[in-house]
Amino acid sequence: MSGDPVPNRTSQQATASGKGQVNQVGRDQYNQTAVYGMGSGPAPQALNALPAVAALIGREERASELLDVLNPSGPGPGVVVATGLAGVGKTALALHAAHRAVEAGWFGGGALFVHLRGYDPAGPVSGEQALEALLRALGIREDDLPPTPREQENLYRSELARRGKVGPVLVVADDASATTQLVPLLPASGGHRLLATSRDALTAPDLPARLAPLDQLDTEPAVALIAYALTRARPDDPRPHGEPEALREVAGYCGGLPLALTIVAAQATADPGLPLTTLAADLADTRTRLKALHYEDRDGRSLGVQAAFDLSYRRLDEHSARLFRLLSLNPGPDLATDTAAALTDQDARPARQSLATLARAGLLNEQPIGSNRWRMHDLTRLYADDQSRRHDSGPDRQQALGRLFDHYCDAADAADDHLRALPGQRAPDRFPDRAAALAWFEAERPNLTATVAHTATTGHPKTTVVLAFCMGLYLTQFRYFHDALTTAQHAITATRHLGDRRREAGALNNLGNALEEVRRFEEAITAHTTAADIFRDLGDRHNEAHALNHLGNALQGMRRFEDAITAHTTAADIHRNHDNRHGEAKARNNLGLALRKVRRCEEAITAHTTAADVYRDLGDRHGEGGALNHLGIALQEVRRFEDAIDAHTTAADIHRKLGNRHGEAKALNNLGNALQGMRRFEEAIDAHTTAADIHRDLGDRHSEGGALNNLGNALQEVRRFEDAITAHTQDLVICRDLDDRHGEALALNNLGGALQGMRRFEEAIDAHTTAADIHRDLGDRRGEGGALNNLGLALQEVRRFEEAITAHATAADIFRDLGDRHREGLALYNLDLAQSRGRSWRSALRRRPPHG
């Protein structure tokens, strides 16, 4: 046992990059049919090299983090355990880091490798077996091995200390399944490191380890891994570059799991003529995907995702296995602890304990930690569903689904009640307040929408209808319009299946609201009209009024303002006759918008003021904020800018306190317009910029464009014409992308003004001309008049005075017909200016001496 610090055992040692000794202990075992206890499998054997690894792709950051911990001169712990799902690439990462650490000269005492076979059905290596193998690799002869495990541990640490005189030792223990496999291998001190891998998060009082969890690869590195494997085998393989979309599909079906990616790369490598589109088609069906993710070479060695998951699943106790299977019933991408409790019919605390057990086994993750939200990898979910179909009876699955659907319906109903409740109204105790209810909706929206789609196609129409109605207000108010459209369409189908006409009309109303928000006004008009007709046939005047009010909004979107005024007025009258003050306030507020569009501004101010007062009396802060914002717009029309600033500022404050960022942005944008009216341009620029930023963050491109357009106008006022051109051009692009012709015309008209500021008059003329043409096509005479007036100004600058006179005169006539005396006066002033400048220009031409 004595001798040199590094025993000369060449049969068990090898050099990695010429630095340090590298030893491998243990060997791989393949699939067996029985599961044996610790240490029951073949004893580990000493090999002579650290296993080679291919290039590491997509793990550079994690490898650097691991190296920081392994650095013997650093403050890191002596033990690190890389953890994660089967096939996530723990061994590859650990070996890559080990090679780099050895090559860096950190472990002059050598590097040892032992494969613990923790999940091998033939039986894992025990800690004592691993220790004996490591001692042999350290040069200890069989006859010199102490008889007891305690004495062997002491000798192991003594040998590490001896080697420490040359340099620290790195021990890599792959595929551990229990802390008892690692505890005997712990180094004592001296900068030695133990790097282990495990599917389980191995922690214990006697294992002071740092956990390094590993997740699946993102899309780009997953694609790169397959492409690398194909071109490594055949550098001229055309498929990665020739079928990029199919390659991304394949990587997506693999869920970024390196084992799955390796398997599909092996399949494609083995068949170089196989199109990636065919491989993607093989994986597309979720029912057969796991079976498709299997590869066997000519020597009979196999890789399979399902087989890898089997090894983890078999280790679960009966209760944990049942929970794991039932989790696959949730249609959405993740689930909360209380949802898991409902699935398994238990309380939240034991449910969390069971979920934590599955997380420690690497079968799901809490994301983020402490959130009580749990997520499975897509392939793990398919595996769990397969196991559930095999082991859980039909009635068991249906009962679990029933509990799940009841949980979502009850919680969504309670959350919806909180969102609709006015101050003083009692709401369900399930949530402490509105903010908590909204937070629940935000967290559960993907699950709820997925459940609506699932129940709509699997024979649960009542659940579809209940969830869709409970989500309707939330989805539209917080601008999840795609989800609102989808859930409403599912609800319509379900209500017709149930023969429930009243709810069918309600679903049509919700559909119409969502269609309005995505500017599909003709379809919205049809939906609301049908809803109103159904409610009228049923004698439901209250809901008929709601449908008419929404119909008015859709009619405004089509610029059919007189029809909209009729619809809103009728709705307000019905609500008043039924003493529904809240419904009447909504109708009055929308009526004000339509009245303003036909220049009945004083009536609009009265309507918005009345609505705001009613909302305030009822404690509906959200409604009050909306009414005040609309009131401010009407006040601007009659040039009461100070009052408008007060209204918009109050509206923005209300929406900000409610967490309604969209409402806040709308109010800020309109506040900017009012500030411009008071010539407070710098403040206006700040308001419009903030509004545009919020809309951009929320993905509301239409409103973002409107804010940019107004920002451009404010920038023109402080002569920042280049910035204004940029803002108007961005708005123009958005409007064209959204096919918003009215917005396009506004953007072009204002862009023309900015171009005039830069003396780019010909471009300005084109912009104003196009704007006027679009307004004319849309029947927007006020917009046409404004564009013609600006066109006249640009024409004057290039001395085309006769055309300018025609443009200004036409604009004045339009504004006179509309009763807009203010804009008529501006057009007449510009007309006089054009006539005067034209006369002066002609006079100057007559006085000019002839050439000769």
Side-chain angles (χ1 to χ4, degrees):
M1 291 170 53
S2 61
D4 295 334
V6 182
N8 183 19
R9 300 283 296 222
T10 56
S11 64
Q12 296 175 336
Q13 298 173 354
T15 300
S17 301
K19 298 177 182 178
Q21 284 76 28
V22 181
N23 298 268
Q24 176 174 328
V25 180
R27 64 182 180 87
D28 294 337
Q29 299 294 315
Y30 296 97
N31 294 338
Q32 307 287 330
T33 57
V35 179
Y36 300 92
M38 185 74 71
S40 58
Q45 299 177 6
L47 302 178
N48 63 357
L50 186 69
V53 288
L56 194 68
I57 295 175
R59 300 294 197 201
E60 292 77 10
E61 183 177 349
R62 300 314 303 271
S64 296
E65 293 172 359
L66 203 54
L67 283 169
D68 288 341
V69 180
L70 290 178
N71 192 335
S73 62
V79 186
V80 186
V81 182
T83 67
L85 177 66
V88 81
K90 303 178 292 296
T91 300
L93 176 65
L95 288 175
H96 179 85
H99 278 295
R100 286 179 58 182
V102 170
E103 291 166 3
W106 291 353
F107 295 100
L112 309 174
F113 180 88
V114 60
H115 188 268
L116 299 178
R117 302 196 309 262
Y119 302 88
D120 195 317
V125 173
S126 69
E128 290 76 15
Q129 288 176 313
L131 183 61
E132 288 183 9
L134 284 173
L135 285 170
R136 294 188 187 97
L138 286 168
I140 306 303
R141 293 175 299 182
E142 187 75 30
D143 293 342
D144 293 331
L145 287 175
T148 67
R150 177 59 60 86
E151 290 175 314
Q152 290 177 4
E153 288 184 38
N154 290 337
L155 177 59
Y156 169 71
R157 295 187 178 99
S158 174
E159 285 299 314
L160 291 184
R162 285 162 52 79
R163 287 194 174 226
K165 296 175 182 178
V166 177
V169 176
L170 172 63
V171 179
V172 180
D174 187 34
D175 203 29
S177 61
T179 58
T180 55
Q181 291 177 288
L182 298 179
V183 170
L185 313 184
L186 294 178
S189 59
H192 305 302
R193 294 289 188 262
L194 171 61
L195 171 59
T197 69
S198 179
R199 302 180 187 189
D200 291 87
L202 298 181
T203 58
D206 56 352
L207 183 67
R210 175 176 296 181
L211 299 179
L214 195 60
D215 209 344
Q216 67 265 24
L217 292 172
D218 293 332
T219 300
E220 293 307 323
V223 168
L225 192 154
I226 300 174
Y228 168 79
L230 294 179
T231 55
R232 180 184 59 185
R234 294 183 179 84
D236 59 347
D237 193 323
R239 291 173 293 180
H241 293 294
E243 301 180 76
E245 291 304 317
L247 182 58
R248 293 181 70 86
E249 280 188 61
V250 171
Y253 291 140
C254 292
L257 188 69
L259 174 60
L261 298 167
T262 300
I263 290 171
V264 296
Q267 292 171 342
T269 300
D271 185 355
L274 177 69
L276 296 183
T277 52
T278 301
L279 190 55
D282 292 343
L283 298 170
D285 191 340
T286 57
R287 296 169 298 179
T288 59
R289 187 176 301 164
L290 288 176
K291 291 183 179 178
L293 288 171
H294 179 270
Y295 176 76
E296 184 170 339
D297 66 17
R298 286 183 292 184
D299 296 328
R301 294 181 302 176
S302 65
L303 286 175
V305 170
Q306 186 159 347
F309 290 167
D310 279 339
L311 299 179
S312 294
Y313 177 72
R314 290 172 183 172
R315 291 172 49 82
L316 299 176
D317 61 68
E318 183 178 347
H319 179 76
S320 298
R322 177 174 179 268
L323 171 61
F324 174 69
R325 297 192 302 267
L326 292 181
L327 292 180
S328 66
L329 297 178
N330 183 51
D334 71 345
L335 82 170
T337 300
D338 60 353
T339 306
L343 262 175
T344 53
D345 197 20
Q346 60 180 329
D347 293 335
R349 184 67 183 99
R352 179 175 175 87
Q353 291 171 334
S354 300
L355 290 164
T357 297
L358 294 177
R360 286 194 299 273
L363 293 171
L364 78 164
N365 292 317
E366 186 180 19
Q367 296 181 341
I369 292 175
S371 66
N372 270 316
R373 303 205 65 83
W374 310 82
R375 183 181 292 267
M376 276 185 177
H377 187 277
D378 291 345
L379 296 178
T380 313
R381 180 193 180 97
L382 293 179
Y383 178 83
D385 181 62
D386 180 64
Q387 293 298 319
S388 179
R389 294 179 187 277
R390 293 185 186 192
H391 299 291
D392 299 320
S393 67
D396 286 345
R397 285 170 60 88
Q398 289 305 312
Q399 289 171 10
L401 276 172
R403 293 191 297 268
L404 175 70
F405 297 156
D406 288 346
H407 165 76
Y408 279 142
C409 288
D410 292 346
D413 186 42
D416 184 48
D417 285 347
H418 273 276
L419 263 59
R420 295 178 184 276
L422 300 176
Q425 287 186 337
R426 183 174 177 80
D429 295 335
R430 185 169 191 135
F431 300 102
D433 51 32
R434 184 181 187 276
L438 178 58
W440 184 85
F441 264 136
E442 287 290 302
E444 295 293 352
R445 177 176 61 87
N447 288 309
L448 297 175
T449 53
T451 302
V452 168
H454 176 79
T455 55
T457 57
T458 55
H460 300 87
K462 291 183 179 179
T463 299
T464 304
V465 173
V466 171
L467 282 180
F469 273 83
C470 290
M471 297 171 66
L473 174 65
Y474 159 71
L475 291 175
T476 52
Q477 193 170 99
F478 290 90
R479 309 191 67 74
Y480 296 113
F481 300 131
H482 175 75
D483 288 342
L485 285 170
T486 303
T487 56
Q489 288 162 341
H490 283 311
I492 291 168
T493 301
T495 54
R496 288 171 178 168
H497 175 80
L498 294 169
D500 187 340
R501 295 201 73 211
R502 178 172 278 102
R503 289 198 169 188
E504 177 189 350
L508 284 165
N509 219 19
N510 289 340
L511 176 63
N513 293 339
L515 289 166
E516 288 171 42
E517 295 293 350
V518 296
R519 308 189 66 77
R520 291 162 58 180
F521 297 115
E522 288 284 5
E523 296 169 80
I525 289 170
T526 300
H528 290 311
T529 301
T530 305
D533 291 344
I534 292 174
F535 284 131
R536 190 179 302 114
D537 291 345
L538 296 173
D540 186 345
R541 298 284 284 167
H542 171 77
N543 281 313
E544 178 192 352
H546 281 304
L548 288 171
N549 190 33
H550 292 304
L551 172 62
N553 293 337
L555 289 165
Q556 289 192 54
M558 290 298 296
R559 307 191 68 77
R560 291 167 55 182
F561 298 117
E562 293 296 342
D563 292 338
I565 288 170
T566 300
H568 292 310
T569 302
T570 304
D573 291 343
I574 293 174
H575 283 307
R576 183 173 58 255
N577 291 337
H578 288 76
D579 198 27
N580 182 358
R581 295 188 69 207
H582 195 261
E584 182 183 357
K586 286 184 178 180
R588 295 278 176 211
N589 193 35
N590 292 329
L591 173 62
L593 297 176
L595 290 167
R596 180 171 57 82
K597 293 294 185 179
V598 295
R599 307 297 300 164
R600 292 162 61 179
C601 296
E602 292 299 337
E603 295 173 77
I605 290 170
T606 299
H608 291 311
T609 302
T610 301
D613 290 343
V614 172
Y615 282 132
R616 191 178 301 112
D617 290 345
L618 296 174
D620 183 352
R621 297 283 284 164
H622 183 272
E624 180 188 355
L628 286 172
N629 192 34
H630 295 149
L631 172 62
I633 299 172
L635 289 167
Q636 290 186 57
E637 293 288 344
V638 296
R639 306 188 66 76
R640 290 169 56 184
F641 296 115
E642 288 286 2
D643 293 338
I645 289 170
D646 290 341
H648 292 310
T649 301
T650 304
D653 290 342
I654 289 173
H655 289 305
R656 189 179 302 114
K657 291 175 182 176
L658 292 175
N660 181 0
R661 297 192 71 210
H662 184 262
E664 178 188 356
K666 286 282 191 184
L668 286 172
N669 190 34
N670 292 322
L671 172 62
N673 291 335
L675 289 165
Q676 288 192 60
M678 293 299 295
R679 306 193 65 76
R680 292 159 60 179
F681 298 117
E682 294 297 340
E683 295 172 77
I685 289 170
D686 290 341
H688 292 310
T689 300
T690 303
D693 289 343
I694 293 174
H695 285 309
R696 189 177 304 113
D697 290 344
L698 296 174
D700 182 357
R701 296 194 72 207
H702 183 264
S703 296
E704 178 192 353
L708 287 169
N709 198 33
N710 292 331
L711 171 62
N713 293 338
L715 289 166
Q716 288 189 56
E717 295 292 345
V718 294
R719 306 192 65 76
R720 290 169 56 183
F721 296 115
E722 287 285 3
D723 292 337
I725 289 171
T726 299
H728 292 309
T729 302
Q730 290 173 341
D731 175 36
L732 182 61
V733 170
I734 290 172
C735 291
R736 285 174 173 166
D737 286 348
L738 300 178
D739 196 27
D740 178 6
R741 301 218 59 216
H742 184 260
E744 178 185 357
L746 294 175
L748 283 167
N749 191 32
N750 291 326
L751 174 61
L755 290 166
Q756 289 193 57
M758 293 298 295
R759 307 193 63 77
R760 292 159 58 179
F761 297 117
E762 293 297 340
E763 295 173 76
I765 289 169
D766 289 342
H768 292 310
T769 301
T770 305
D773 290 344
I774 293 174
H775 282 305
R776 188 179 304 114
D777 290 344
L778 296 175
D780 180 3
R781 299 203 70 208
R782 178 169 287 100
E784 179 188 356
L788 287 171
N789 198 32
N790 290 333
L791 172 62
L793 295 174
L795 289 165
Q796 289 188 52
E797 295 296 334
V798 293
R799 297 183 172 83
R800 292 161 60 179
F801 295 111
E802 291 301 327
E803 295 171 79
I805 289 168
T806 300
H808 292 309
T810 305
D813 290 343
I814 290 173
F815 291 130
R816 186 179 303 113
D817 291 345
L818 295 173
D820 189 339
R821 300 296 302 279
H822 174 70
R823 289 184 173 85
E824 178 191 357
L826 290 176
L828 289 172
Y829 173 82
N830 291 329
L831 173 61
D832 289 341
L833 181 63
Q835 291 170 335
S836 176
R837 292 181 69 187
R839 286 193 297 268
S840 298
W841 175 250
R842 289 191 295 273
S843 176
L845 287 177
R846 285 194 297 269
R847 291 196 302 271
R848 180 179 297 174
H851 295 286

